[in-house]
Amino acid sequence: MTAQLELEMLPRLLLVDDEPRLLSSLHELLCERGYTLVTAQSGAEALAHLVAQKFDLVLLDLRLPDMSGHEVMDFINANQIGTDVIVMSGEVGIEAAIGALKRGAYDYLRKPYSREELLKTVTNALQQRRLEVANARIASQLENSEKLYRYLVDSSPDIIYTLDHEGRFTFVNDRAYQLLGFSREDLIGKHYAILIHDEDLERARYVFNERRVDERASRNVELRLKCHNHPGADRTFNNTLMTISLNSIGMHVPDRDVRKLEFFGTYGVARDITERKHAEEVINYQAYHDILTDLPNRMLFKDRLGLAVIQAKRKAAELAVMFIDLDRFKLVNDTLGHVKGDELLQQVAMRLKQCLRRGDTLARQGGDEFTIVLPELRDRTDASAIAEKFLECLHQSFDLDGHEVHISASIGIAVYPVDGETIDELLRHADIAMYQVKALGKNGHAFYHNSMLDVSRQKIALEQSLRKALDNDELEMHYQPQIDVVTGRIIGAEGLMRWNHPQRGLLTAGEFLPFAEENGLMLPISDWMIKALCRDMQIWNAAGGQSIRLSLNLSPQYLDRGDFFEKMRGALVRYGISPAQIEVEITENICIRSPQYAIEQLNKLCELGVSVAIDDFGTGYSSLSYLHRFPIHTIKIDQSFVREIHDEHGHYPVILAIISIARGLGLHLIAEGVETEVQARYLRSHGCVTMQGFLFHVPVSLAAFICVLEEHFAMPDAENNVASLQA
């Protein structure tokens, strides 16, 4: 019987979390403290326990499978269930914390929390609960026991005090000494102003002279109190005040004949909310600042820009808004990882801040985008000078744990009121100007002009048309032959996409694919390209054509998609195409994004029988070790290197190095963009015998390509074949 009684006296805790491992870990941690523990993995299970049993404390996760933790707290409050709640959540938003505190949560712990933090919070909550229970019990015995009354007051976690009608302390409990360092002897008979922070004296004058006794009395007024012998360590208190009268001090009911109670003094309770205020300040700061760079975020930037616009309008002055986008940041992120990318953003923020004037605001818009407001602009040269300073400071290399990184920036500038009179207009126009810089080669700045808006609208119109191009059957494949210059035979062709635009005519891939990549259209376009290539190959095979190999460029976005291999295999089966007739071209930067995943996907293609070529070799940033790891059959020399060949007896080390690499690894080699006899002779003399380019043939439609092939294979003389193609 005694053991049962002791068990019932142990604090009873309800642990609510839908994550079994976290719940088990929490149970094991608290079990060692001697508590009676009950667990629940859903909101419904928690509500059932709350109805069936009494709990001293609930440890509640906000994310539950069937309802939120806030709804559980609403149930507790609605049914007046006498339990305290500690909220534990991984949510970083301020709304979750505010919602929990508004619903009466004792505390809010953000996951992951430390063992010590949890145990301390649980201990404090249970201790406070015990004190509250003790206070209630002692209050009921107050009339019969002064000793119990004194214990209640001095054991309170709050400062309890009384003032006379002139504002002098007549009583204060021991908590004042524990929190502020002032003893009873220091305060009794002294005016309350001795404790009040100088800046809060005016507000305190109303609070400490409170004479009202009903709901109108001052409640939850926040004041800062001084700490004895601790300069700079002021604490914030929440004061709940009520007026007491001579007739009610003994808790006696006043005589019905008494019409007016004589004012005796003020009774008050002051609760230390310093830690809560600090937590609120942190939450408020984080709500308006970027956690990574500590810069103002988009919300705060718009607020400051709005104030700057009002000020500029009042003074009839100009201001500038800058939109900065980092060039090559995505490459750094893909190459070195997001951690190093975050470090780069932090270093960029520090450099940009050093270029600002007093009163300027730099904010992080998101990702690798920053915005700046330059108030009180004298003229545009001020904004141009600051933009140049930004570009200059970013030109210096960045050190990321031994990795030397170089980036630049594209900066767009909009000026108030010429380029817009509202926040949204200025930001939108600065953004448009930034994209204009991007289009012209990046690494520069430009002021917004109305003509840019027309270009932007044309881009939007082009994007909308491109979305309809697939449905309207406006896309087609053109083919550029690949020639073996030794035999003169066409051994393959590269498939190049073209768009028959209703108004603008035939567009090359470079004129519309960048829009497709930016707007998420590469996946459906790549699906179409695979089907079109196989369909065209089927037409050639059905015409009795000799076996040649067609190649197509594969977007990195498409390779990243998990089902691209199935798409390829399905198209080959559907059109009856031999996998050996297809070659997939990838850029070497595809190796950087996710090397192991890329290897797995390309190995599947090779097992199917499809060959793999690296396009634009030598222009990327991947390690040569990838050539050993990746299932590669062909290397294509980029046309930017071929264009440099002006003398067939000259020395072009990059070309020679690529040829040597291909020969050493036993890989097939193709030179792209061959346009002159000098280039062809130089390449052939040094071992590259497969070429494509305008010297031999321009890309042509399927019908024209079939005619070229029919004529070519009908001519037995190889030299005549080459001559006809060059013609």
Side-chain angles (χ1 to χ4, degrees), residues 553-565:
N553 289 281
L554 189 64
S555 166
Q557 296 180 18
Y558 197 63
L559 181 65
D560 287 342
R561 191 170 73 170
D563 62 349
F564 101 93
F565 169 74

Side-chain angles (χ1 to χ4, degrees), residues 418-468:
V418 178
D419 300 331
E421 297 185 357
T422 67
I423 295 173
D424 292 337
E425 281 181 340
L426 290 169
L427 284 172
R428 184 172 69 254
H429 291 166
D431 190 27
I432 290 174
M434 181 272 293
Y435 275 107
Q436 180 73 6
V437 177
K438 289 275 190 187
L440 296 177
K442 307 178 181 179
N443 190 26
H445 73 275
F447 287 89
Y448 172 78
H449 188 271
N450 288 335
S451 60
M452 296 180 183
L453 187 59
D454 295 334
V455 173
S456 179
R457 288 170 178 166
Q458 290 176 9
K459 290 181 179 178
I460 294 174
L462 186 64
E463 175 196 340
Q464 293 173 344
S465 299
L466 185 55
R467 292 183 181 276
K468 299 176 182 178

Side-chain angles (χ1 to χ4, degrees), residues 612-630:
V612 178
I614 286 190
D615 193 18
D616 303 336
F617 185 76
T619 63
Y621 307 92
S622 62
S623 169
L624 291 178
S625 64
Y626 288 135
L627 292 177
H628 291 283
R629 298 173 56 196
F630 276 70

Side-chain angles (χ1 to χ4, degrees), residues 140-241:
S140 68
Q141 301 170 354
L142 189 59
E143 293 181 9
N144 303 317
S145 177
E146 176 64 22
K147 181 178 179 180
L148 287 178
Y149 164 74
R150 180 66 62 182
Y151 173 79
L152 170 64
V153 173
D154 286 341
S155 298
S156 171
D158 306 324
I159 296 176
I160 299 176
Y161 60 89
T162 59
L163 305 173
D164 63 15
H165 64 287
E166 293 182 349
R168 294 187 295 265
F169 284 102
T170 56
F171 171 80
V172 64
N173 66 348
D174 287 341
R175 193 63 172 162
Y177 178 76
Q178 297 169 13
L179 292 176
L180 305 176
F182 289 94
S183 65
R184 280 195 179 96
E185 292 72 20
D186 294 330
L187 297 177
I188 298 300
K190 303 291 179 59
H191 194 269
Y192 65 79
I194 191 176
L195 286 182
I196 307 301
H197 190 282
D198 295 342
E199 296 178 3
D200 292 348
L201 278 173
E202 188 65 28
R203 186 163 13 132
R205 184 174 295 114
Y206 293 97
V207 174
F208 284 97
N209 288 304
E210 180 63 73
R211 298 182 178 218
R212 293 170 293 186
V213 297
D214 54 18
E215 291 81 2
R216 296 174 300 165
S218 299
R219 299 189 182 278
N220 300 325
V221 179
E222 296 178 2
L223 295 171
R224 288 169 290 175
L225 303 186
K226 298 177 181 178
C227 294
H228 187 52
N229 294 330
H230 293 284
D234 301 328
R235 304 185 72 83
T236 304
F237 283 80
N238 184 294
N239 289 264
T240 301
L241 306 177

Side-chain angles (χ1 to χ4, degrees), residues 562-632:
D563 62 349
F564 101 93
F565 169 74
E566 295 299 332
K567 295 276 188 179
M568 174 68 76
R569 182 170 63 178
L572 293 174
V573 172
R574 177 182 176 184
Y575 291 99
I577 304 301
S578 169
Q581 289 185 273
I582 302 295
E583 183 168 71
V584 169
E585 296 185 11
I586 62 173
T587 60
E588 60 181 307
N589 286 339
I590 207 171
C591 309
I592 299 174
R593 299 167 66 93
S594 180
Q596 191 55 45
Y597 180 77
I599 290 172
E600 294 173 0
Q601 298 302 307
L602 295 178
N603 274 331
K604 288 183 179 180
L605 281 181
C606 293
E607 292 172 3
L608 187 63
V610 175
S611 58
V612 178
I614 286 190
D615 193 18
D616 303 336
F617 185 76
T619 63
Y621 307 92
S622 62
S623 169
L624 291 178
S625 64
Y626 288 135
L627 292 177
H628 291 283
R629 298 173 56 196
F630 276 70
I632 295 166

